[in-house]
Amino acid sequence: MKQEEQIIIQTQNLTKMYGEKTVVNQLNLSIRKGEVFGLLGPNGAGKTTTILMLLGLTEPTGGRAVINGMDCTRNPIAVKSRVGYLPDNVGFYGDMTGRQNLRFTGRLNGIPDKELDPRIDMLLERVNMQDAADQKAGTYSRGMRQRLGVADVLMKDPEIIIMDEPTLGIDPEGMRELLDLIWKLSKEDGRTLLISSHQLYQVQQICDRVGIFVNGNLVACGGIDDLGRQVQKETHFTLELKVNPCDDKLLAEIYRHPEVTHVDRKDNTFIIESNVDLRRAMSGFLGTNGYTIQHMHQRGGDLDEIYRLYFEKAGQSDEDNSVEKKTGKRWIQQRGKKAGKA
C-alpha cells in the first residue's frame, strides 16, 4: 500500500456525551499517513473533545478511535508515545530558558544526557529559535512560544502531531514561519499532522484535506478543490469584476450571456451571478476592447465560501457550545502539556 493510502488515524462512530448533550456525534474519520488534515469548526463544535479522545484523555461514550493500529482508550500510553500534542496555549516554565525547558522535556521522555544537547541544538535551529534559546520563556511572544512548542513536541520524534489552534494570536511573520514549519514536518519528514482550527485562510495554505465540524457532526470532508466544486454546483458562480472604464457597453456584454442570472453594480465593480464560469469570456472581451482589469475574483472555490455553505446547511451559528467549552477545554488546558510529553 502506498504511503498516501495508509490510514494512520481512524475513528468509527466516535461519540461523546456530557449528560444529555452530544458533543461529538458518531464521528467517522480517516486520516492518511503523511498528510496535513485540518479539522475546522467554531468554538464548541467538538474539535477539542475529539482531540481529548484521540489522546486517551477522556473516554468516548460510544465508538472508538485508533491511531497506528492502537486503540486510543485501551492503550493511551502507547498512543502518546507515537503522538506529539501542541495545545492552543503552550505552557512553559517562565523562569526557565527555552533550552532548559526542552532539556526538562527530554529527560521526562527518557532521552540519555549524551543525546540530549545535540538534539536540543538541532531542534532549536529547525524552529529558528537559536538566538532566543537562552532567554527566559516568560519573555517570549506567542509566536516564539508556539515555535518552541513545536521543538518540545519533536523531542520524542513523534510520527503524528496534533495541533490545537496553532496560529491563534500570532503576528503575520510568525504565522508564515509556523505554517512553513508545519508544511515541512509533513512533506519533508513524512509526519502526519492533525490541525484543529477556525482560521480558514491559514489552514487552506497547508492542508491536504479538511473536515468541517459543526455542532458535533462532521458535515463535509475532502480536498479543498473537491469541496469547492461541490459548492459551485450548489451555489452556482459569483464573479467579482472591477474594471476601468466601468460603462454601459460592458454591462450590455455581461447581460448578453444567457447564463447570467443577476448583476449588482457598485461604483466600478460588478458582482455577476451566473450558471457558468464567465472568466474566460469576460477576459477575452475586456482585453480586445481596451478595458483595464483591476480585480477579478471567482467566489465559491475558497475555503471561506465552502465553510459558509456547509455551516449554513447545518443550520448553525458561529457561537460557543458551553458544554464543551467548560468541560473539555478546561481539561485540555490543564493536561495539555503533560499529554505532549507522556
Side-chain angles (χ1 to χ4, degrees), residues 17-38:
M17 300 181 67
Y18 291 109
E20 297 182 355
K21 177 66 177 180
T22 301
V23 180
V24 177
N25 184 29
Q26 296 188 356
L27 175 63
N28 290 292
L29 184 64
S30 296
I31 298 176
R32 302 164 188 151
K33 181 176 176 61
E35 76 173 332
V36 181
F37 187 93

Side-chain angles (χ1 to χ4, degrees), residues 212-280:
I212 298 176
F213 220 50
V214 179
N215 200 27
N217 295 283
L218 187 70
V219 297
C221 183
I224 293 171
D225 290 342
D226 294 334
L227 294 178
R229 283 189 288 270
Q230 182 63 34
V231 166
Q232 288 179 340
K233 288 179 182 178
E234 299 193 25
T235 61
H236 304 295
F237 297 83
T238 301
L239 180 66
E240 295 178 1
L241 180 62
K242 183 178 182 180
V243 298
N244 185 31
C246 185
D247 54 19
D248 292 338
K249 180 181 177 181
L250 175 56
L251 183 60
E253 171 63 19
I254 294 171
Y255 274 118
R256 187 182 67 80
H257 295 273
E259 299 87 357
V260 171
T261 58
H262 184 74
V263 179
D264 280 330
R265 179 177 178 177
K266 183 177 181 180
D267 298 327
N268 62 338
T269 301
F270 289 107
I271 308 296
I272 309 165
E273 296 181 9
S274 65
N275 296 319
V276 297
D277 188 343
L278 292 175
R279 284 176 294 182
R280 177 172 294 183

